[in-house]
Amino acid sequence: MTAERVYRLLLRAYPPDFRAEYGPQMVLLFRDQCRDGDVRTLGFWVTIIFDVARSAPALRAEAWCARVSVNTRAVEVTMKIAAMLTVLLAALGIVGATGEWVAGSKGSMGGRYVLAVVLGVFASVLLVGAGIAILLGARWGRQPARLALFASLVSALAARLLFPWMSIFSQLVGFGLPVALLIALYWPRRPSAVRAA
């Protein structure tokens, strides 16, 4: 394998766009270095590998950040869809808790059962509020949505502890949805280029 082929393999560490723009010039520079230096020495290759190891990760990170910045608009649209889904699922959660109440009212209901159903309804109402806060995020910011999601998660957990026979749907909506949305809301992202323009 020739030295140039080894160097071309090392260039794979750089982002594709960078390679397309600067790859040919880098290969020409490498040919000049091969002509001026001894390709068979360890020092020559240590210098080349050190240069690639120093610059390629930084350029990869820069390319990744630029791609994330471009995709910020898509993330915002996804968050809006998730907020609408949250409102819908929370409304279904309220209907489900009401169904639990109706089913429990036919027999004798204990205080723990009533409190669990009330906490379930409260958690669903908080989810509705969180979904609305996400939809109106530009006006209010993300903090109200985060607080509502956290309070909803705590309420659902308390309801689960009081009444351990919650339905799978209630558990998924009560635990999975707030956790997923909290992760999404705390995920760092750059401001949208569309909004800045």
Short mmCIF file of all heavy atoms in Angstrom, two decimals, residues 3 29-45 47-48:
data_model
loop_
_atom_site.label_atom_id
_atom_site.label_comp_id
_atom_site.label_asym_id
_atom_site.label_seq_id
_atom_site.Cartn_x
_atom_site.Cartn_y
_atom_site.Cartn_z
N ALA A 3 1.99 5.26 0.34
CA ALA A 3 1.80 6.27 1.39
C ALA A 3 0.58 7.14 1.10
O ALA A 3 -0.17 7.50 2.01
CB ALA A 3 3.05 7.13 1.53
N LEU A 29 -0.64 18.55 -0.91
CA LEU A 29 0.29 18.94 0.15
C LEU A 29 1.01 17.71 0.71
O LEU A 29 2.23 17.76 0.96
CB LEU A 29 -0.46 19.68 1.26
CG LEU A 29 0.38 20.13 2.45
CD1 LEU A 29 1.41 21.16 2.01
CD2 LEU A 29 -0.51 20.69 3.54
N PHE A 30 0.29 16.62 0.87
CA PHE A 30 0.90 15.39 1.36
C PHE A 30 1.96 14.89 0.37
O PHE A 30 3.03 14.44 0.79
CB PHE A 30 -0.17 14.31 1.59
CG PHE A 30 0.41 13.02 2.07
CD1 PHE A 30 0.86 12.87 3.37
CD2 PHE A 30 0.52 11.93 1.21
CE1 PHE A 30 1.40 11.68 3.80
CE2 PHE A 30 1.05 10.74 1.64
CZ PHE A 30 1.49 10.61 2.95
N ARG A 31 1.69 14.97 -0.92
CA ARG A 31 2.69 14.57 -1.92
C ARG A 31 3.96 15.40 -1.78
O ARG A 31 5.09 14.88 -1.86
CB ARG A 31 2.13 14.72 -3.32
CG ARG A 31 1.14 13.66 -3.70
CD ARG A 31 0.65 13.89 -5.11
NE ARG A 31 -0.46 13.01 -5.42
CZ ARG A 31 -1.32 13.22 -6.40
NH1 ARG A 31 -1.21 14.29 -7.18
NH2 ARG A 31 -2.30 12.37 -6.61
N ASP A 32 3.77 16.72 -1.55
CA ASP A 32 4.94 17.59 -1.34
C ASP A 32 5.70 17.17 -0.09
O ASP A 32 6.94 17.15 -0.10
CB ASP A 32 4.52 19.05 -1.23
CG ASP A 32 4.00 19.61 -2.56
OD1 ASP A 32 4.28 18.99 -3.61
OD2 ASP A 32 3.31 20.65 -2.52
N GLN A 33 4.99 16.84 0.98
CA GLN A 33 5.64 16.41 2.21
C GLN A 33 6.38 15.09 2.00
O GLN A 33 7.47 14.89 2.54
CB GLN A 33 4.62 16.25 3.34
CG GLN A 33 4.06 17.54 3.86
CD GLN A 33 2.94 17.32 4.88
OE1 GLN A 33 2.27 16.30 4.87
NE2 GLN A 33 2.77 18.30 5.76
N CYS A 34 5.80 14.20 1.21
CA CYS A 34 6.46 12.93 0.91
C CYS A 34 7.74 13.16 0.11
O CYS A 34 8.76 12.48 0.33
CB CYS A 34 5.54 12.01 0.11
SG CYS A 34 4.20 11.32 1.08
N ARG A 35 7.70 14.09 -0.80
CA ARG A 35 8.87 14.39 -1.62
C ARG A 35 9.98 15.02 -0.78
O ARG A 35 11.15 14.73 -0.95
CB ARG A 35 8.47 15.31 -2.78
CG ARG A 35 9.53 15.45 -3.83
CD ARG A 35 9.09 16.30 -5.03
NE ARG A 35 8.45 17.54 -4.65
CZ ARG A 35 7.17 17.85 -4.91
NH1 ARG A 35 6.39 17.00 -5.53
NH2 ARG A 35 6.67 19.02 -4.54
N ASP A 36 9.57 15.89 0.21
CA ASP A 36 10.56 16.59 1.02
C ASP A 36 11.04 15.77 2.21
O ASP A 36 12.11 16.03 2.76
CB ASP A 36 10.00 17.93 1.54
CG ASP A 36 9.70 18.90 0.40
OD1 ASP A 36 10.26 18.71 -0.70
OD2 ASP A 36 8.90 19.82 0.62
N GLY A 37 10.25 14.82 2.69
CA GLY A 37 10.61 14.04 3.87
C GLY A 37 10.77 12.56 3.54
O GLY A 37 10.59 12.13 2.40
N ASP A 38 11.06 11.80 4.57
CA ASP A 38 11.23 10.36 4.39
C ASP A 38 9.98 9.65 4.89
O ASP A 38 9.69 9.64 6.08
CB ASP A 38 12.46 9.88 5.13
CG ASP A 38 12.80 8.43 4.81
OD1 ASP A 38 12.17 7.86 3.88
OD2 ASP A 38 13.68 7.87 5.49
N VAL A 39 9.21 9.08 3.96
CA VAL A 39 7.94 8.43 4.29
C VAL A 39 8.14 7.17 5.12
O VAL A 39 7.21 6.71 5.76
CB VAL A 39 7.16 8.04 3.02
CG1 VAL A 39 5.71 8.39 3.13
CG2 VAL A 39 7.74 8.58 1.78
N ARG A 40 9.34 6.64 5.13
CA ARG A 40 9.58 5.38 5.83
C ARG A 40 9.90 5.59 7.31
O ARG A 40 10.00 4.62 8.05
CB ARG A 40 10.71 4.62 5.15
CG ARG A 40 10.34 4.19 3.74
CD ARG A 40 11.51 3.62 3.04
NE ARG A 40 12.45 4.73 2.79
CZ ARG A 40 13.52 4.66 2.05
NH1 ARG A 40 13.83 3.53 1.49
NH2 ARG A 40 14.29 5.69 1.86
N THR A 41 10.01 6.83 7.76
CA THR A 41 10.35 7.05 9.17
C THR A 41 9.09 7.14 10.02
O THR A 41 8.02 7.56 9.56
CB THR A 41 11.17 8.36 9.34
OG1 THR A 41 10.35 9.46 8.95
CG2 THR A 41 12.45 8.31 8.54
N LEU A 42 9.25 6.76 11.25
CA LEU A 42 8.13 6.80 12.20
C LEU A 42 7.74 8.24 12.51
O LEU A 42 6.55 8.56 12.64
CB LEU A 42 8.53 6.07 13.49
CG LEU A 42 7.46 5.99 14.57
CD1 LEU A 42 6.26 5.19 14.08
CD2 LEU A 42 8.02 5.38 15.83
N GLY A 43 8.71 9.14 12.59
CA GLY A 43 8.44 10.54 12.89
C GLY A 43 7.53 11.20 11.87
O GLY A 43 6.66 12.01 12.21
N PHE A 44 7.73 10.86 10.60
CA PHE A 44 6.89 11.41 9.53
C PHE A 44 5.42 11.02 9.76
O PHE A 44 4.53 11.87 9.72
CB PHE A 44 7.38 10.87 8.17
CG PHE A 44 6.54 11.30 7.01
CD1 PHE A 44 6.73 12.54 6.43
CD2 PHE A 44 5.55 10.47 6.50
CE1 PHE A 44 5.95 12.95 5.35
CE2 PHE A 44 4.77 10.87 5.43
CZ PHE A 44 4.97 12.11 4.85
N TRP A 45 5.18 9.76 10.01
CA TRP A 45 3.81 9.28 10.19
C TRP A 45 3.19 9.75 11.50
O TRP A 45 1.99 9.99 11.58
CB TRP A 45 3.74 7.76 10.05
CG TRP A 45 3.87 7.36 8.63
CD1 TRP A 45 4.96 6.81 8.02
CD2 TRP A 45 2.89 7.54 7.61
NE1 TRP A 45 4.72 6.63 6.69
CE2 TRP A 45 3.45 7.07 6.40
CE3 TRP A 45 1.61 8.06 7.57
CZ2 TRP A 45 2.77 7.09 5.19
CZ3 TRP A 45 0.94 8.08 6.37
CH2 TRP A 45 1.50 7.60 5.20
N THR A 47 3.73 12.63 12.86
CA THR A 47 3.31 14.01 12.57
C THR A 47 2.00 14.03 11.78
O THR A 47 1.08 14.79 12.11
CB THR A 47 4.42 14.74 11.78
OG1 THR A 47 5.62 14.67 12.52
CG2 THR A 47 4.04 16.18 11.53
N ILE A 48 1.91 13.19 10.77
CA ILE A 48 0.70 13.14 9.93
C ILE A 48 -0.50 12.67 10.76
O ILE A 48 -1.58 13.30 10.74
CB ILE A 48 0.91 12.19 8.72
CG1 ILE A 48 2.02 12.72 7.81
CG2 ILE A 48 -0.39 11.97 7.96
CD1 ILE A 48 1.72 14.03 7.14
#
